[in-house]
Short mmCIF file of all heavy atoms in Angstrom, two decimals:
data_model
loop_
_atom_site.label_atom_id
_atom_site.label_comp_id
_atom_site.label_asym_id
_atom_site.label_seq_id
_atom_site.Cartn_x
_atom_site.Cartn_y
_atom_site.Cartn_z
N LYS A 7 270.03 98.12 258.75
CA LYS A 7 268.63 98.03 258.31
C LYS A 7 268.35 98.99 257.16
O LYS A 7 267.63 98.66 256.21
CB LYS A 7 267.69 98.31 259.48
CG LYS A 7 267.65 97.19 260.49
CD LYS A 7 266.73 97.52 261.65
CE LYS A 7 266.74 96.40 262.66
NZ LYS A 7 265.92 96.69 263.84
N ILE A 8 268.93 100.17 257.22
CA ILE A 8 268.76 101.15 256.14
C ILE A 8 269.37 100.61 254.85
O ILE A 8 268.77 100.68 253.77
CB ILE A 8 269.37 102.51 256.53
CG1 ILE A 8 268.49 103.19 257.58
CG2 ILE A 8 269.56 103.40 255.31
CD1 ILE A 8 269.09 104.43 258.21
N LYS A 9 270.56 100.03 254.96
CA LYS A 9 271.22 99.46 253.77
C LYS A 9 270.40 98.31 253.20
O LYS A 9 270.24 98.19 251.98
CB LYS A 9 272.63 99.01 254.12
CG LYS A 9 273.39 98.54 252.91
CD LYS A 9 274.83 98.23 253.23
CE LYS A 9 275.47 97.80 251.92
NZ LYS A 9 276.76 97.31 252.01
N ALA A 10 269.87 97.46 254.07
CA ALA A 10 269.05 96.34 253.60
C ALA A 10 267.79 96.85 252.90
O ALA A 10 267.39 96.32 251.86
CB ALA A 10 268.68 95.44 254.78
N ARG A 11 267.19 97.90 253.44
CA ARG A 11 265.99 98.48 252.83
C ARG A 11 266.33 99.04 251.45
O ARG A 11 265.58 98.85 250.49
CB ARG A 11 265.41 99.57 253.73
CG ARG A 11 264.14 100.16 253.20
CD ARG A 11 263.58 101.18 254.15
NE ARG A 11 262.91 100.48 255.25
CZ ARG A 11 262.17 101.11 256.15
NH1 ARG A 11 262.03 102.41 256.12
NH2 ARG A 11 261.57 100.43 257.10
N ALA A 12 267.47 99.71 251.34
CA ALA A 12 267.89 100.26 250.04
C ALA A 12 268.14 99.13 249.03
O ALA A 12 267.80 99.27 247.85
CB ALA A 12 269.14 101.12 250.21
N ASN A 13 268.70 98.04 249.49
CA ASN A 13 268.93 96.89 248.60
C ASN A 13 267.61 96.30 248.12
O ASN A 13 267.50 95.90 246.95
CB ASN A 13 269.78 95.82 249.29
CG ASN A 13 271.22 96.23 249.43
OD1 ASN A 13 271.72 97.05 248.67
ND2 ASN A 13 271.90 95.68 250.42
N ILE A 15 264.83 97.94 247.74
CA ILE A 15 264.29 98.90 246.77
C ILE A 15 264.97 98.72 245.42
O ILE A 15 264.31 98.73 244.37
CB ILE A 15 264.44 100.34 247.30
CG1 ILE A 15 263.52 100.55 248.50
CG2 ILE A 15 264.13 101.35 246.20
CD1 ILE A 15 263.79 101.82 249.29
N ALA A 42 257.46 100.38 244.97
CA ALA A 42 258.81 100.94 245.04
C ALA A 42 258.77 102.38 245.55
O ALA A 42 259.61 102.78 246.37
CB ALA A 42 259.49 100.86 243.67
N ARG A 43 257.82 103.17 245.08
CA ARG A 43 257.69 104.55 245.56
C ARG A 43 257.40 104.59 247.06
O ARG A 43 257.97 105.40 247.79
CB ARG A 43 256.58 105.27 244.79
CG ARG A 43 256.97 105.59 243.37
CD ARG A 43 255.86 106.23 242.61
NE ARG A 43 255.55 107.53 243.21
CZ ARG A 43 254.59 108.32 242.77
NH1 ARG A 43 253.84 107.96 241.76
NH2 ARG A 43 254.38 109.48 243.35
N SER A 44 256.52 103.72 247.50
CA SER A 44 256.21 103.65 248.92
C SER A 44 257.44 103.27 249.74
O SER A 44 257.71 103.85 250.80
CB SER A 44 255.09 102.64 249.15
OG SER A 44 254.80 102.50 250.51
N ALA A 45 258.20 102.33 249.23
CA ALA A 45 259.43 101.90 249.92
C ALA A 45 260.45 103.03 249.95
O ALA A 45 261.13 103.25 250.96
CB ALA A 45 260.01 100.66 249.24
N LEU A 46 260.56 103.79 248.86
CA LEU A 46 261.47 104.94 248.83
C LEU A 46 261.04 106.01 249.83
O LEU A 46 261.88 106.59 250.53
CB LEU A 46 261.53 105.55 247.42
CG LEU A 46 262.47 104.86 246.45
CD1 LEU A 46 262.22 105.38 245.03
CD2 LEU A 46 263.90 105.05 246.86
N ASP A 47 259.74 106.26 249.93
CA ASP A 47 259.25 107.23 250.90
C ASP A 47 259.58 106.80 252.32
O ASP A 47 260.01 107.61 253.14
CB ASP A 47 257.73 107.43 250.75
CG ASP A 47 257.36 108.24 249.53
OD1 ASP A 47 258.24 108.92 248.95
OD2 ASP A 47 256.17 108.19 249.14
N ALA A 48 259.39 105.52 252.61
CA ALA A 48 259.69 105.02 253.95
C ALA A 48 261.19 105.13 254.24
O ALA A 48 261.59 105.50 255.35
CB ALA A 48 259.23 103.56 254.09
N LEU A 49 262.02 104.84 253.25
CA LEU A 49 263.47 104.98 253.42
C LEU A 49 263.83 106.45 253.66
O LEU A 49 264.63 106.76 254.53
CB LEU A 49 264.21 104.45 252.20
CG LEU A 49 265.73 104.62 252.20
CD1 LEU A 49 266.37 103.91 253.38
CD2 LEU A 49 266.31 104.12 250.88
N GLY A 50 263.21 107.34 252.91
CA GLY A 50 263.46 108.77 253.09
C GLY A 50 263.10 109.23 254.49
O GLY A 50 263.84 110.00 255.11
N MET A 51 261.98 108.77 255.00
CA MET A 51 261.56 109.15 256.35
C MET A 51 262.54 108.60 257.39
O MET A 51 262.87 109.29 258.36
CB MET A 51 260.15 108.66 256.65
CG MET A 51 259.08 109.42 255.88
SD MET A 51 259.12 111.20 256.14
CE MET A 51 258.75 111.29 257.88
N GLU A 52 263.01 107.39 257.19
CA GLU A 52 263.99 106.80 258.11
C GLU A 52 265.29 107.61 258.10
O GLU A 52 265.86 107.92 259.16
CB GLU A 52 264.26 105.35 257.73
CG GLU A 52 265.30 104.67 258.59
CD GLU A 52 264.89 104.49 260.05
OE1 GLU A 52 263.67 104.43 260.33
OE2 GLU A 52 265.79 104.42 260.91
N LEU A 53 265.75 107.98 256.91
CA LEU A 53 266.97 108.77 256.81
C LEU A 53 266.80 110.16 257.40
O LEU A 53 267.70 110.69 258.06
CB LEU A 53 267.43 108.87 255.35
CG LEU A 53 268.00 107.58 254.77
CD1 LEU A 53 268.20 107.73 253.26
CD2 LEU A 53 269.28 107.19 255.45
N LEU A 54 265.64 110.76 257.18
CA LEU A 54 265.36 112.07 257.76
C LEU A 54 265.36 111.99 259.28
O LEU A 54 265.96 112.83 259.95
CB LEU A 54 264.04 112.62 257.25
CG LEU A 54 263.62 113.97 257.81
CD1 LEU A 54 264.64 115.05 257.48
CD2 LEU A 54 262.24 114.35 257.28
N SER A 55 264.72 110.98 259.83
CA SER A 55 264.70 110.81 261.29
C SER A 55 266.12 110.63 261.83
O SER A 55 266.49 111.23 262.84
CB SER A 55 263.87 109.58 261.67
OG SER A 55 262.54 109.79 261.36
N ARG A 56 266.89 109.81 261.13
CA ARG A 56 268.28 109.57 261.56
C ARG A 56 269.10 110.86 261.50
O ARG A 56 269.87 111.16 262.40
CB ARG A 56 268.90 108.50 260.66
CG ARG A 56 270.27 108.08 261.07
CD ARG A 56 270.69 106.89 260.23
NE ARG A 56 271.96 106.38 260.71
CZ ARG A 56 272.99 106.12 259.91
NH1 ARG A 56 272.89 106.28 258.62
NH2 ARG A 56 274.10 105.66 260.41
N PHE A 93 261.61 116.84 249.36
CA PHE A 93 261.13 115.48 249.67
C PHE A 93 259.61 115.41 249.60
O PHE A 93 259.05 114.40 249.17
CB PHE A 93 261.63 115.07 251.06
CG PHE A 93 261.32 113.64 251.41
CD1 PHE A 93 262.01 112.61 250.81
CD2 PHE A 93 260.36 113.34 252.35
CE1 PHE A 93 261.74 111.30 251.12
CE2 PHE A 93 260.07 112.02 252.68
CZ PHE A 93 260.76 110.99 252.06
#
Side-chain angles (χ1 to χ4, degrees):
K7 288 179 182 177
I8 288 171
K9 185 174 181 188
R11 183 177 282 189
N13 287 335
I15 292 167
R43 288 177 64 181
S44 177
L46 277 169
D47 286 343
L49 176 60
M51 289 304 296
E52 178 66 26
L53 288 171
L54 179 60
S55 294
R56 185 172 186 229
F93 186 73

